[in-house]
């Protein structure tokens, strides 16, 4: 049987760094601790990455590659409620794989201009993707929105689409529900609780 090729040191560093960052938080993991976990010398680590920021940038590159396909907006494609649930499911999976970014986002953005600029662009694209999905569902009659003015709208933000009801085949009556206090697109890109009224009753908060 052919032996599996050994992983390259650079790949091992990134895999181990991602695990440690996700577990302990990026600020709490030093390059010395990372080298010890890999059983390599600090010099070997610095041969591949000059400092911890270089490791963070490489991991952020991987995060961008993972999330980019989810955020592509096709204005001509027909969308339905199942597309919304798939979008949320894949989005949660991607965020979970790279959860250290969201866990330590304020710290990362405060001290790393490159991450700050790239993350802002991702958040804008996430909002556009969510808005596009909602607009397709509204046009298809699968999404109804409440026009109540939310606290967020009173403060001058959002569109006041405070609650939504989505029709799917998840129950005999085909109902699912998503509600929140901000706009629909704000909620889908971060900040509202969505629950699918199915036999298993699943819930998630973005």
């Amino acid at each position: 049987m052919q032996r599996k090729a050994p992983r390259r040191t650079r790949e091992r560093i990134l895999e181990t760094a991602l695990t440690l960052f996700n577990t302990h938080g990026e600020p709490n993991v030093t390059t010395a601790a990372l080298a010890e976990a890999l059983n390599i010398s600090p010099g070997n680590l610095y041969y591949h990455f000059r400092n911890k920021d270089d490791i963070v940038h490489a991991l952020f590159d991987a995060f961008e590659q993972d999330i980019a396909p989810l955020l592509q907006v096709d204005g001509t494609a027909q969308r339905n409620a199942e597309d919304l649930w798939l979008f949320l499911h894949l989005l949660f999976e991607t965020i979970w794989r790279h959860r250290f970014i969201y866990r330590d986002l304020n710290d990362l953005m405060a001290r790393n201009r490159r991450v700050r600029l790239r993350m802002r662009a991702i958040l804008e694209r996430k909002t556009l993707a969510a808005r596009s999905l909602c607009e397709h569902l509204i046009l298809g009659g699968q999404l109804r929105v409440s026009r109540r003015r939310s606290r967020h709208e009173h403060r001058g933000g959002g569109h006041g689409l405070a609650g939504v009801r989505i029709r799917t085949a998840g129950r005999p009556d085909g109902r699912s529900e998503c509600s929140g206090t901000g706009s629909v697109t704000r909620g889908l890109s971060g900040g509202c609780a969505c629950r699918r009224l199915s036999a298993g009753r699943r819930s998630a908060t973005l």
Side-chain angles (χ1 to χ4, degrees):
M1 184 174 66
Q2 188 176 6
R3 285 190 174 183
K4 193 174 182 179
R7 288 176 299 165
R8 296 169 52 198
T9 301
R10 177 184 171 85
E11 294 171 351
R12 290 181 55 232
I13 291 172
L14 291 177
E15 289 176 6
T16 304
L18 181 61
T19 299
L20 293 178
F21 289 176
N22 282 341
T23 302
H24 304 291
E26 180 269 336
N28 302 316
V29 179
T30 64
T31 52
L34 180 55
E36 183 178 356
L38 287 158
N39 197 26
I40 62 175
S41 68
N44 195 355
L45 178 67
Y46 291 129
Y47 174 80
H48 296 278
F49 297 97
R50 293 173 301 172
N51 49 49
K52 193 168 74 167
D53 277 349
D54 278 359
I55 297 174
V56 170
H57 292 157
L59 292 175
F60 199 91
D61 288 342
F63 167 65
E64 280 187 311
Q65 291 175 7
D66 278 358
I67 203 169
L70 297 177
L71 306 184
Q72 293 177 355
V73 177
D74 183 356
T76 62
Q78 294 296 318
R79 303 292 184 183
N80 56 44
E82 291 303 317
D83 292 319
L84 173 60
W85 299 124
L86 179 61
F87 170 75
L88 294 176
H89 175 75
L90 295 177
L91 185 64
F92 278 127
E93 281 192 338
T94 303
I95 290 173
W96 180 252
R97 280 196 300 274
H98 307 274
R99 56 192 176 275
F100 82 92
I101 295 173
Y102 285 81
R103 172 179 176 173
D104 305 309
L105 185 58
N106 289 337
D107 180 72
L108 282 173
M109 293 180 70
R111 60 182 172 80
N112 193 314
R113 183 175 182 272
R114 181 176 170 184
V115 169
R116 180 168 67 252
L117 295 176
R118 293 163 72 185
M119 192 64 191
R120 283 177 178 170
I122 287 174
L123 293 175
E124 289 175 2
R125 292 178 60 196
K126 195 193 300 184
T127 300
L128 289 174
R131 179 180 294 124
S132 176
L133 272 171
C134 286
E135 289 172 349
H136 277 89
L137 294 179
I138 291 170
L139 290 173
Q142 299 181 70
L143 180 71
R144 291 185 298 168
V145 295
S146 147
R147 296 289 175 176
R148 296 193 311 270
R149 290 176 65 82
S150 66
R151 286 178 298 172
H152 175 66
E153 187 187 20
H154 279 298
R155 292 195 299 267
H159 303 287
L161 305 182
V164 301
R165 186 178 299 278
I166 307 169
R167 295 198 172 277
T168 69
R171 277 177 36 147
D173 58 5
R175 290 195 300 114
S176 295
E177 183 176 309
C178 171
S179 61
T181 57
S183 70
V184 175
T185 52
R186 175 181 168 83
L188 288 175
S189 61
C192 90
C194 298
R195 57 185 183 278
R196 185 168 187 175
L197 305 180
S198 60
R201 184 173 284 275
R202 295 174 298 170
S203 64
T205 302
L206 281 169

